Amino acid sequence: MVLKTFVCFTMAIFVWSISFNMHISYRWLQDYINQDLPEPDTFADTLTMQAYEVEKIEQTGDDYVLDIDVLPNRAADSLSHIGVAREVATLFNVNLDITQDQTETSNNIETAELVNLAVDSPNVRRATKRVVSGINVQESPEFIQKRLQAVGLTPINNVVDITNYVMLEIGQPVHAFDYDKLAGDPPKGITVREAEDGETITTLDENEYQLQEGMLVIADQDKPLDIAGIKGGLNSQIDRST
């Protein structure tokens, strides 16, 4: 089965008034550090005293998961594994390595011919898009599934899983949509906008929600596709029929 999917990245301005609990994989952090980290308990104690409060640490398979409390003033840089790894490198005076292998991509798809992306909200600074084709929807590699499971997420398929993986890695919400399920003819219109009062959406968990005016959504020309940065919509989900 061939996948043609539209992926949208959103970046919004939020005002946080509460703290956040972030599940951080010890082994995932180790990938970004060129030296061995301290033993998990010692590591957690140091973080608590000098950076973030570690509320608990649990062993999950061959990994340890830290439940850290991120305060509002640290949300911008710490709600991701790379963000926490930067802090760890400073605290322990070790080298940080966040270089990634680059995969060559083809330029034979002109995204602008397939999708128009507009931002219609003063609370969104920037949004980007990309069209991906020629991918088979299947299970993710085992290491990705294990990492998602360790921090409490259920693997779905390789496309959905990589959006969650990227979010947990760099702190940026990513949504993937099945291109053929978007309304209209090419170039199909996608807008990052605020919801209208009374609009509804059925999310991936098959629950229907009535949106409140001002809630941020990503929408095609007919309907909301997801609640931006929070939950994807059932009407454009990636599945094995994509």
Side-chain angles (χ1 to χ4, degrees), residues 24 38 57 70 133 141 161 176 205 210 221 224 230 239-240:
I24 295 293
I57 180 170
V70 179
S133 66
D161 293 350
D205 55 10
Q210 182 166 330
Q221 66 183 36
I230 297 176
D239 54 36
R240 290 190 179 272

Side-chain angles (χ1 to χ4, degrees), residues 92-152:
F92 293 94
N93 193 27
V94 294
N95 293 325
L96 178 70
D97 182 5
I98 56 174
T99 58
Q100 302 288 330
D101 293 334
Q102 299 296 313
T103 300
E104 292 187 7
T105 58
S106 170
N107 294 322
N108 61 2
I109 296 177
E110 292 293 338
T111 301
E113 295 179 359
L114 296 170
V115 177
N116 284 326
L117 176 62
V119 174
D120 186 18
S121 171
N123 294 318
V124 179
R125 293 176 176 176
R126 180 172 182 261
T128 64
K129 59 183 166 63
R130 174 160 292 187
V131 175
V132 182
S133 66
I135 296 175
N136 293 322
V137 180
Q138 56 191 15
E139 287 188 354
S140 296
E142 185 178 1
F143 86 94
I144 288 182
Q145 294 191 51
K146 283 186 174 181
R147 286 189 171 177
L148 294 179
Q149 290 169 336
V151 296

